[in-house]
Amino acid sequence: MFHAVKTLFFCTALALAGHAQAQDGPELHVVAVGKGRQTDDFYALPETRIMVDRPGQSVALVLIDGGEMQWRIDMTEGTRVLDVIRSGPDPENSAIMLADIPMTGIDVPGLPLVRNPVGQDFRKLVKTLTERYATDRLHSFQAARLAPAAQIVVDQVQSDPALAHEYLAQALGRKDDLPPGIRDGSGMQPVSSATVTFDTKGVRLTDATGTRDFPVTPDVPRVLLPVASTHDPATGTIYAMTYGGEGYIYTIDTKDGAWRVVTSLEEYDARTLLFDPTTRALVTTGAFSRPGEIKVFAPDGETTSLFVPTTAFPGLTDLFDYGNEHGPPLVPRRLEDGWLLLDAEAPHDDRSNTAPARRSYALDIDTGDVRLLSYRNP
């Protein structure tokens, strides 16, 4: 349905728009609607009605739908709609009417049908459109699962920072008051050269001396679902963690093979495990939908627990389809003076040669204060 008739579209739009003066580039307004509203005409496409009320401005209108949609666009006097882009998962069965005149929009395949200005798909949408129009932001974004009975009105520039192409640059946190090992984001703990493999039968340690197996001893609760393990090169101790059921953190003494329980996790499903050699504390972060559920187990038995919502970590929702899937874990890297260094990385795309997106954070474990230290986008 969409063909290369952009010249005809521009001429008609300009004739309808009046004599307002054009600006350097059009404002970029996005409307996403999953399903149109059925009219009294049973044979007509379900419709969504839009009023563009931006007198004195030139507008590029981006329409994203779930297919089988009749878009009906009106404009106030002096508003200039220069481009209409139509996209969505079904590129065929939609139509556009501009001021009651059938129009052929610009087909840009593959724009995601997003319903909130958050998540990996929304960042792809912002990136694609801002690069296409050589602008630094979307000027507005509106979305609905079902078209409302009234018109959707496009009449303002929204101030939401998430609409900017480089919105995370404004979200970077203060660093000068952070501990030195946290401040530069590179104060990682020494990495053991040993490799630890953890399964339901026990752990296998491979280091400079060779490979040794340490079977689970019968005096500790059985291992249900192994999830993480780490090695302290200074003492040779192995730490192993399970989830599912009650969940436990174990230590394994590599000198005599003895297993013992450090603590029960009391049905808390943890995803990552850090042993901090300075404080000798164990740090865990949550699994599945709760990566910000963080616990610090001190050697004296004291436990610090806090829960920080995913949305409180700037840019974390960019790494996955927020609302539809679980995100990557927050990986603890260092604990210093009450601050925890964490990072998260998007899953690697085998089809891409670029490094995956990454975020690094500092977290105050007493207050829950989160600061974005650095970020990398593909």
Side-chain angles (χ1 to χ4, degrees), residues 5 28 53 57 66 95 108 128-129 131 134 160 233 294 310 333 374:
V5 292
L28 194 52
D53 183 16
Q57 303 296 329
V108 179
T128 300
L129 293 174
E131 289 180 353
D160 187 347
I294 296 165
T310 299
R333 300 298 187 186
S374 64

Side-chain angles (χ1 to χ4, degrees), residues 255-278:
K255 298 181 179 65
D256 59 13
W259 285 61
R260 71 179 182 89
V261 172
V262 177
T263 185
S264 164
L265 296 179
E266 299 178 345
E267 299 184 358
Y268 155 57
D269 286 332
R271 178 66 176 83
T272 64
L273 176 65
L274 167 73
F275 170 73
D276 181 77
T278 303

Side-chain angles (χ1 to χ4, degrees), residues 13-14 64 86 137 142 205 266 295 331 376:
L14 290 173
I64 306 173
R86 190 267 158 185
R137 61 178 288 109
Q142 298 184 70
L205 175 68
E266 299 178 345
K295 294 183 184 291
V331 181
R376 179 185 69 207

Side-chain angles (χ1 to χ4, degrees), residues 18-31:
H19 301 289
Q21 295 298 312
Q23 57 186 28
D24 291 339
E27 293 181 351
L28 194 52
H29 296 272
V30 180
V31 179

